[in-house]
Amino acid sequence: MKLQTMTGSHLLFLDVDWSSKEEVIDHLVGALADAGAVESKEQFKQVVFEREGHSPTGFEHGLAIPHGKSALVKEAKVAIARLKTPIEGWESIDPDNKVDLVFLLAIPAAESGSTHVRLLAQLSAKLVDEDYRARLYSAKSPESFLNSLDGTEENSTPEQSSAIAKRTVLAVTSCAAGIAHTYMAAEALQKAGNELGVTVLVEKQGANGQEDRHTAEQIAQADAVLFAVDTKVKERGRYAGKPYVQVKVAEPLRHGKELLLQALENPSGIVEKEEVQEAAVKTAPKGFKGLIGEMAQAVMTGISYMIPVLVAAGLMLGIAKLTWLYGLGLPIADIGSADYAAVGGLKEFLHNLDAFGNLIFKFLYPVFSMFVAYALADRVGIVSGLLGGVFASGMHYTFWGVEGGIPSGFLGALVLGLAAGYMARFLNQKIRLSQNFAAMKPMLLIPGISILLLFILNQYLVDPFFSQLNRWIADFIQGMTGTGELTLSAVIAAATAFDLGGPVNKAAGAIAIGMAADHIFPLTPRVLAIVIPPLGIGLATIIDKFVVGRRVFSPDLRVAGNTSFLLGFLAISEGAIPFMLRNPLLTIPINLIGAVAGSCTAVALGAVQWYPLPAIWGWPLVEHFLAYFIGLVVGIAIIAFSNIFIRYAMIKREELKDS
């Protein structure tokens, strides 16, 4: 497509004196609105800034490509600004990038998978070329700038080397979003290949699937493979036997020629064969730091697959409870009563929908543990990882008819998921069978042995340890009934916030509800400690940029944070679990401090809540609500600002270390 046809002098601003990202976007969106390309300036500007919150739109060499996809856009257009003074605060893949050339893309929602991808790919590919950028920067008038947009790149003279001339490198590029960086890396590698005299064939594994997929003939004739990816390579086994190098997708933008030379002359290894019946054998990392990094990556993988389960469960519960309370006007505590299981109509539907949401929550730990094991051992770890999560969620107590069994919760899911992955990987590496019996290994031996070992581990170590720990905590709380109310409030709040709906939380809840039923002690610290952590951590992901001037949470945790914030009002503390799993040594202490401080503040000021209704609809039942609200704000603020400032300090420390 011709870039000139998508813009014009009325959408082009050269050498303007705009000093911030907000000012640039405001002017460019305003120009699009004045040109009739978008229906509402303010609404489309909000769309663009929401996209800015997902991942950086700044790149390198002063470039930024913000964009928005919306039904507000009538026609795909590009607004362009060349700035007189570079902007330093624009989030970019290169932290040192100072933006002075901005392309704002406005894409109709109906063209998000076509025009959006093609335009980003074409623009990203052109901007990689240094000569192309130089023509844009040197253009003296709008006409010359527009003419340069579709100018063709002069053929460069290959830097022929007798050692690498006429050789072929296959490349796979893939970024998390599957759009801009995928295509920019591909263009950078092809340009570097032209300069070296090397044939580079790039397969893009992006938002539109596998583009320019390598054929069997191309793979057979290739000399090496370069994986420039931030995601798992699809069908990696196709390249078995080929020397390879694997790097982040942004690396070719900086070191394209060096990476091609490395792939041809000093590869990292040989791509291993991946049989149809048997997953590839993953090898252990070298050194203690490598092991810690591998476990952290496995936990991140588990969290990423667990988040959709969390969102689905919260959505089902939210729809059921809100409709029950405000649609039918019934007490929210009655929705789980068995009396509504066969009454028919909307009541039965909402009762079952609420039960379904609770059922989905039961699968949080199985899904998490399964994908932790998968990240470590590939497919052979899935079954044992899943069953480790089943143990952690306590499902085995239900099926075995054990009453009062306390599950191991998220810590058990961590231990059992990691154990399942490492056991499956070890067995996959050590078991050697002839070709005739190869299918027995992944189908019988690995799952059979690893599941048996996992059962023994859970039976004699994980369950007994956590059961004793949780029982000790429950006995400790029960023994505190005669102490001061602030001390008891602090203990109940800490136990409630410790594992966010896990066994310690439930043990504290059972005792706190019992004391409230006997009118011994109100549930005030209990109900506050349920909602403070998810609201606090969720708020932190929303305001971090405004507090310290940058994002301190990764994109996936920002999404989880929005969910956590909403679920907090519904008293679903599990919304904060992804943060606890990602970094328990940071998250758990902050949750405890915030919950204790907020609960004790409310109790000290006279707030009283006797009913087990921590969600927003239970707030009207609180005596001295102002005191309750002050305690809520104190706890949320402590968790939100502590997370922001500590995470910001950790990021700055890492940046200082890298520099």
Side-chain angles (χ1 to χ4, degrees):
M1 63 179 66
K2 290 284 188 180
L3 294 176
Q4 290 186 58
T5 64
M6 307 190 70
T7 187
S9 57
H10 60 300
L11 296 175
L12 175 62
F13 303 87
L14 298 181
D15 304 321
V16 289
D17 195 15
W18 300 337
S19 58
S20 68
K21 177 173 74 171
E22 290 73 16
E23 187 177 3
V24 172
I25 292 177
D26 181 76
H27 280 286
L28 294 182
V29 172
L32 290 167
D34 293 340
V38 299
E39 292 182 0
S40 168
K41 173 184 175 181
E42 293 303 321
Q43 291 182 27
F44 183 66
K45 186 166 66 173
Q46 183 178 354
V47 170
V48 175
F49 278 113
E50 286 177 357
R51 170 60 187 83
E52 288 293 305
H54 293 164
S55 60
T57 57
F59 296 97
E60 295 180 307
H61 311 298
L63 301 173
I65 311 179
H67 47 279
K69 298 172 289 184
S70 172
L72 298 167
V73 181
K74 301 177 182 178
E75 182 184 5
K77 288 292 182 182
V78 181
I80 306 169
R82 192 175 69 190
L83 307 179
K84 184 181 298 184
T85 304
I87 297 173
E88 298 186 13
W90 202 303
E91 295 87 348
S92 305
I93 60 171
D94 179 2
D96 298 324
N97 188 38
K98 299 178 181 179
V99 172
D100 57 5
L101 186 58
V102 181
F103 294 80
L104 174 60
L105 279 54
I107 309 295
E111 301 177 25
S112 60
S114 54
T115 304
H116 180 215
V117 175
R118 291 200 305 271
L119 181 57
L120 263 179
Q122 182 177 353
L123 187 58
S124 301
K126 284 180 174 293
L127 290 171
V128 170
D129 179 48
E130 185 176 351
D131 294 333
Y132 179 81
R133 296 196 307 272
R135 291 196 294 272
L136 298 182
Y137 279 112
S138 62
K140 302 298 183 183
S141 66
E143 291 75 16
S144 61
F145 188 98
L146 294 172
N147 289 333
S148 299
L149 281 177
D150 294 304
T152 57
E153 168 185 350
E154 297 181 1
N155 293 328
S156 56
T157 303
E159 300 175 5
Q160 297 274 358
S161 169
S162 58
I164 63 172
K166 298 182 180 180
R167 300 179 73 181
T168 300
V169 175
L170 302 183
V172 176
T173 61
S174 176
C175 64
I179 303 177
H181 298 128
T182 299
Y183 296 94
M184 292 181 72
E187 182 68 17
L189 289 172
Q190 288 171 334
K191 184 175 184 293
N194 289 336
E195 295 176 359
L196 292 172
V198 174
T199 300
V200 179
L201 303 175
V202 186
E203 175 179 314
K204 280 80 70 175
Q205 297 185 358
N208 285 339
Q210 291 173 267
E211 298 181 59
D212 302 319
R213 189 178 187 276
H214 295 140
T215 65
E217 182 180 359
Q218 290 172 338
I219 295 173
Q221 296 175 355
D223 297 290
V225 184
L226 173 59
F227 301 117
V229 296
D230 286 344
T231 61
K232 186 176 180 179
V233 178
K234 298 175 182 176
E235 302 179 61
R236 182 187 176 103
R238 291 177 290 157
Y239 306 99
K242 296 293 180 181
Y244 79 97
V245 170
Q246 182 163 334
V247 295
K248 296 290 186 182
V249 71
E251 287 302 305
L253 305 182
R254 305 182 182 91
H255 312 295
K257 289 190 288 187
E258 292 87 341
L259 291 172
L260 293 176
L261 291 173
Q262 181 183 353
L264 291 169
E265 299 177 349
N266 187 28
S268 302
I270 303 296
V271 180
E272 296 181 356
K273 187 175 182 180
E274 186 174 352
E275 299 290 348
V276 175
Q277 304 93 345
E278 181 178 0
V281 176
K282 290 197 169 189
T283 56
K286 296 180 180 180
F288 178 74
K289 288 186 177 180
L291 178 64
I292 296 299
E294 181 187 53
M295 290 194 299
Q297 183 64 41
V299 171
M300 289 175 63
T301 300
I303 291 172
S304 67
Y305 283 99
M306 184 189 72
I307 288 175
V309 182
L310 174 68
V311 173
L315 183 62
M316 298 304 103
L317 288 171
I319 292 172
K321 292 181 185 297
L322 291 174
T323 307
W324 183 273
L325 180 66
Y326 296 110
L328 300 181
L330 297 173
I332 195 64
D334 294 346
I335 192 172
S337 172
D339 296 338
Y340 295 99
V343 297
L346 185 58
K347 293 179 182 178
E348 180 180 340
F349 174 80
L350 295 176
H351 167 82
N352 290 334
L353 185 62
D354 182 75
F356 180 52
N358 286 306
L359 175 64
I360 296 174
F361 267 123
K362 284 288 187 180
F363 288 90
L364 278 180
Y365 294 135
V367 170
F368 167 74
S369 184
M370 176 174 66
F371 282 103
V372 168
Y374 169 75
L376 294 172
D378 213 283
R379 288 175 292 176
V380 294
I382 288 179
V383 176
S384 54
L386 171 67
L387 296 177
V390 167
F391 282 134
S393 67
M395 290 187 191
H396 58 304
Y397 291 133
T398 301
F399 287 101
W400 295 347
V402 177
E403 296 184 3
I406 302 175
S408 54
F410 87 95
L411 291 175
L414 268 176
V415 173
L416 293 171
L418 292 171
Y422 282 117
M423 285 190 294
R425 188 170 75 183
F426 176 81
L427 294 170
N428 200 21
Q429 292 171 344
K430 298 303 180 182
I431 296 176
R432 294 283 183 260
L433 299 175
S434 66
Q435 188 65 32
N436 293 333
F437 297 98
M440 292 180 59
K441 185 166 80 167
M443 299 295 291
L444 175 63
L445 296 179
I446 295 176
I449 297 173
S450 61
I451 290 170
L452 177 60
L453 293 175
L454 202 72
F455 173 80
I456 296 172
L457 176 66
N458 184 74
Q459 183 83 2
Y460 295 105
L461 181 62
V462 175
D463 263 355
F465 175 78
F466 287 110
S467 293
Q468 291 300 321
L469 176 64
N470 296 334
R471 287 193 181 95
W472 178 84
I473 293 174
D475 292 342
F476 178 75
I477 293 175
Q478 187 69 58
M480 293 291 292
T481 54
T483 63
E485 64 175 10
L486 289 182
T487 302
L488 184 55
S489 295
V491 173
I492 293 174
T496 300
F498 175 72
D499 57 354
L500 303 175
V504 176
N505 175 297
K506 289 179 171 55
I511 296 171
I513 291 172
M515 289 190 292
D518 295 335
H519 223 71
I520 297 173
F521 195 78
L523 283 168
T524 314
R526 165 74 179 172
V527 295
L528 276 165
I530 289 174
V531 299
I532 284 175
L535 288 173
I537 196 72
L539 181 63
T541 65
I542 297 172
I543 67 172
D544 57 348
K545 181 180 178 181
F546 304 102
V547 175
V548 295
R550 66 184 296 176
R551 297 290 189 184
V552 300
F553 294 92
S554 61
D556 61 322
L557 285 183
R558 291 203 295 273
V559 174
N562 292 331
T563 301
S564 177
F565 190 69
L566 293 175
L567 293 180
F569 286 103
L570 300 176
I572 300 172
S573 58
E574 285 86 350
I577 285 178
F579 300 87
M580 183 169 65
L581 292 173
R582 180 74 63 87
N583 196 336
L585 296 180
L586 171 64
T587 306
I588 293 176
I590 293 177
N591 283 348
L592 295 180
I593 294 171
V596 170
S599 299
C600 289
T601 298
V603 171
L605 293 176
V608 177
Q609 165 66 299
W610 287 101
Y611 303 99
L613 297 174
I616 190 170
W617 47 75
W619 295 359
L621 302 176
V622 176
E623 300 174 25
H624 305 296
F625 177 75
L626 179 60
Y628 182 93
F629 183 75
I630 292 173
L632 182 69
V633 171
V634 168
I636 291 173
I638 289 174
I639 291 178
F641 288 103
S642 296
N643 269 283
I644 292 171
F645 288 124
I646 293 175
R647 291 171 187 270
Y648 178 71
M650 293 169 63
I651 292 172
K652 298 298 290 185
R653 184 179 64 184
E654 288 299 319
E655 290 177 346
L656 182 62
K657 185 187 301 183
D658 293 340
S659 65

